[in-house]
Amino acid sequence: MKRIQNKTPLFTALKNHIDLHPISFHVPGHKNGSIFPNKGKEFFQNLLKLDQTEISGLDDLHQPEEAIKEAQQLTADLYDADHSFFLVGGSTLGNLSMVMAVCNVGDKIIVQRNSHKSIINALELAGALPIFLTPQYEESTNRHSYISLDLVHKALNEHPDVKAIVLTYPDYFGHTYPLESIIKIAHQHKIPVLVDEAHGSHFMLGDPFPPSALDLGADIVVQSAHKMLPAMTMGSILHLKGSIVSKDKVEYYLQMLQSSSPSYPIMASLDLARYYISQLTKKNIDEVLTSVYELRDIFKESKIWETLDVKAKIDDPLKITLHINKGLLTRDIVKLFEEQAIYPELSTTNQILFIHGLSPFPEGEKFRQVMESISKRGKDLNNHDTIDVDLFRFEPVKALPYSYGDLNKMDKEWVSWDQAQGRLAGQAVIPYPPGIPLLLKGEEINSYHIDTILKLIKLGQHFHYQGVALEEGLTVLK
């Protein structure tokens, strides 16, 4: 039987504890906020009262029996999952756990090529052999954003011994593809489908949002509640549905990888975020959508970019993507926004992403005035020679030459770029944001990799990469 969603068991338990005016002889060391530097006390005071530990009445995330158990059950009910688990380490933690729960060293796993780095890290930790799928290019998004059923069929025919399929849905920009048909064919082969749905925690609201991966039949779904719901940073959720994946294995890796001292403020914010979205009425959602389209109309008034359209049930309307005109550098446009204290979510070589929240935007008219100024100044920017960057010139289906288990036994050395072609990369090269590897550890380096990385460096792209300055060379395997 479905539970009533108007309760906040964990937050209420914390509030009741605070009302006792407790005396702390336990961790954390700030002692309910009484020990803290005055410089930050004004900002942290109320939050520190919520920052508790596993004492009587506040339950234990790793053995939930009371408030945390009830809060997770309410979340599972809302999302129609069999089990939901609170994560205090972001979707990274969930992605690591779900991958490691379904494979062993040397196992093949089909993986979307433009997955977040946490998925790739999970494959490496598990010692798996990934079979990468490269999404098809779509004119409507100007990105490689479409995973077709034919592509999945091709991968399954070439590698019938795969143990799981790992997909990203939606992409960072809120775009989706026909996931249900992929899940059905995977289940016909008794293969679980694991979905990184970091940006889709609100899809359970229904039309006009795309359908949620859980509703489409996915076996494990990881959501970053902090991205689209009003939860604190690192607050995420792992949902498990069906019996293909072992609940015991998922719980085993969660307790292994998750902190033994989980943040109560983050967990309470997950409880409250679930409560918030469960209480949204159709009127509330309509007001949000009205606000979204008013903002989109303001963006469309500019001539220095194209505001990409959204398709109902395919694109997330809360994501507003600007495709920058040729001759203009995205970083210059971003700088104009930031000079007005407007901070977009991310920018690529030719697109800027803005994310609208689950509440009407309160400063529409002020924003219109700011946008007029930005558009005018944008027209005066000097045109630049276009640096064309194609981030996905990869084979449709491709396996690494070695499993991560074998790769981790190899020695490494640093080489300059003119010596790198034909060698195996010693670590991933990851443009950030959005954190999707351009070059994978163990992948053979070709001229495309070298050319693209050096072009992105010239454009000022930030990278996640350890070692000597990337513009000079990189680490390879011996």
Side-chain angles (χ1 to χ4, degrees):
M1 187 174 73
K2 295 285 186 181
R3 294 168 179 82
I4 299 173
Q5 291 290 330
N6 61 3
K7 300 171 67 178
T8 53
L10 181 54
F11 172 72
T12 300
L14 285 166
K15 184 177 180 301
N16 290 342
H17 180 73
I18 293 168
D19 290 343
L20 296 173
H21 303 288
I23 298 172
S24 170
F25 282 95
H26 55 77
V27 298
H30 58 69
K31 303 297 182 182
N32 300 326
S34 63
I35 305 173
F36 207 73
N38 288 331
K39 189 171 185 178
K41 200 165 188 177
E42 175 188 355
F43 295 95
F44 279 83
Q45 184 69 63
N46 290 332
L47 184 63
L48 292 173
K49 294 177 182 178
L50 292 170
D51 189 27
Q52 298 294 326
T53 190
E54 293 86 353
I55 56 179
S56 295
L58 297 185
D59 210 356
D60 181 345
L61 179 63
H62 295 291
Q63 190 66 45
E65 297 175 344
E66 299 168 329
I68 295 175
K69 179 180 180 180
E70 185 178 358
Q72 292 186 148
Q73 287 174 333
L74 284 165
T75 304
D77 282 354
L78 181 65
Y79 284 89
D80 197 26
D82 292 337
H83 307 281
S84 294
F85 302 92
F86 285 175
L87 310 176
V88 296
S91 285
T92 291
L93 171 69
N95 288 341
L96 293 175
S97 299
M98 73 176 181
V99 170
M100 296 183 73
V102 300
C103 72
N104 297 307
V105 175
D107 283 349
K108 290 182 180 179
I109 296 189
I110 292 174
V111 185
Q112 189 170 325
R113 179 62 175 75
N114 56 339
S115 293
H116 188 264
K117 67 175 186 175
S118 58
I119 295 290
I120 309 303
N121 290 339
L123 296 170
E124 181 172 351
L125 288 172
L129 176 59
I131 312 300
F132 289 107
L133 304 184
T134 297
Q136 297 171 14
Y137 185 83
E138 291 184 273
E139 293 288 344
S140 61
T141 64
N142 291 291
R143 298 188 306 276
H144 291 261
S145 52
Y146 188 80
I147 299 289
S148 70
L149 184 58
D150 287 344
L151 188 62
V152 176
H153 270 300
K154 176 177 172 62
L156 288 172
N157 288 335
E158 293 179 4
H159 304 277
D161 53 342
V162 298
K163 300 297 184 182
I165 299 177
V166 185
L167 299 172
T168 302
Y169 172 102
D171 69 7
Y172 218 117
F173 296 81
H175 186 69
T176 66
Y177 50 85
L179 177 62
E180 186 173 21
S181 59
I182 295 173
I183 293 173
K184 285 181 177 178
I185 191 64
H187 285 174
Q188 289 174 14
H189 288 76
K190 302 191 183 307
I191 297 170
V193 178
L194 320 181
V195 179
D196 176 357
E197 197 178 44
H199 285 262
S201 55
H202 57 303
F203 284 1
M204 44 73 64
L205 291 170
D207 192 25
F209 299 99
S212 73
L214 278 169
D215 287 343
L216 297 178
D219 301 282
I220 303 183
V221 174
V222 175
Q223 298 171 335
S224 294
H226 67 93
K227 292 190 186 300
M228 301 305 297
L229 304 187
M232 290 180 64
T233 296
M234 295 201 300
S236 297
I237 307 165
L238 184 150
H239 303 286
L240 178 62
K241 193 169 185 177
S243 58
I244 297 181
V245 178
S246 165
K247 175 175 176 283
D248 290 343
K249 282 191 175 181
V250 172
E251 289 184 312
Y252 173 76
Y253 284 105
L254 286 175
Q255 64 82 26
M256 176 185 286
L257 298 169
Q258 187 140 241
S259 172
S260 60
S261 300
S263 165
Y264 273 81
I266 291 177
M267 290 190 290
S269 77
L270 288 170
D271 192 21
L272 288 165
R274 183 270 315 155
Y275 167 80
Y276 179 87
I277 195 169
S278 74
Q279 302 303 303
L280 290 178
T281 64
K282 184 180 185 305
K283 181 175 180 292
N284 296 145
I285 296 169
D286 287 344
E287 289 171 348
V288 171
L289 294 172
T290 297
S291 174
V292 168
Y293 286 103
E294 286 176 352
L295 281 181
R296 291 181 62 82
D297 286 342
I298 294 173
F299 276 114
K300 286 181 178 179
E301 291 175 6
S302 176
K303 303 299 183 184
I304 62 174
W305 56 65
E306 176 191 359
T307 305
L308 298 189
D309 292 330
V310 296
K311 297 178 182 178
K313 299 187 179 182
I314 294 176
D315 297 299
D316 181 359
L318 300 186
K319 302 295 183 71
I320 303 173
T321 303
L322 309 183
H323 192 80
I324 306 304
N325 292 346
K326 281 194 172 185
L328 296 175
L329 294 179
T330 304
R331 68 184 182 196
D332 290 343
I333 306 299
V334 170
K335 186 177 180 181
L336 293 179
F337 280 105
E338 291 179 347
E339 287 174 356
Q340 300 292 331
I342 296 172
Y343 295 90
E345 169 65 15
L346 68 83
S347 62
T348 66
T349 57
N350 56 10
Q351 294 185 335
I352 306 175
L353 173 65
F354 294 78
I355 300 180
H356 192 290
L358 281 169
S359 180
F361 182 69
E363 300 182 86
E365 193 52 44
K366 178 182 176 182
F367 187 71
R368 183 184 296 275
Q369 295 171 7
V370 171
M371 286 294 298
E372 289 174 355
S373 171
I374 290 173
S375 295
K376 183 177 180 180
R377 293 180 62 194
K379 290 178 183 177
D380 296 333
L381 291 174
N382 294 326
N383 284 340
H384 297 267
D385 292 334
T386 301
I387 301 178
D388 292 322
V389 180
D390 180 359
L391 295 180
F392 279 93
R393 198 185 303 165
F394 303 111
E395 297 174 34
V397 177
K398 182 180 180 181
L400 288 184
Y402 301 96
S403 73
Y404 279 113
D406 291 331
L407 290 171
N408 288 334
K409 299 173 185 176
M410 299 180 184
D411 293 328
K412 299 177 182 179
E413 64 178 341
W414 184 89
V415 299
S416 60
W417 282 114
D418 60 1
Q419 300 173 310
Q421 188 164 337
R423 303 294 298 273
L424 299 183
Q427 62 172 289
V429 178
I430 307 168
Y432 197 92
I436 296 166
L438 171 59
L439 178 62
L440 296 157
K441 178 177 178 178
E443 190 170 23
E444 183 176 328
I445 303 166
N446 57 37
S447 59
Y448 160 71
H449 293 124
I450 298 170
D451 180 57
T452 303
I453 291 169
L454 294 178
K455 281 181 178 179
L456 288 173
I457 290 172
K458 192 174 292 187
L459 287 169
Q461 173 70 53
H462 177 65
F463 285 91
H464 280 187
Y465 179 81
Q466 297 175 332
V468 181
L470 192 58
E471 60 265 23
E472 298 176 14
L474 80 168
T475 301
V476 297
L477 298 170
K478 290 185 177 180

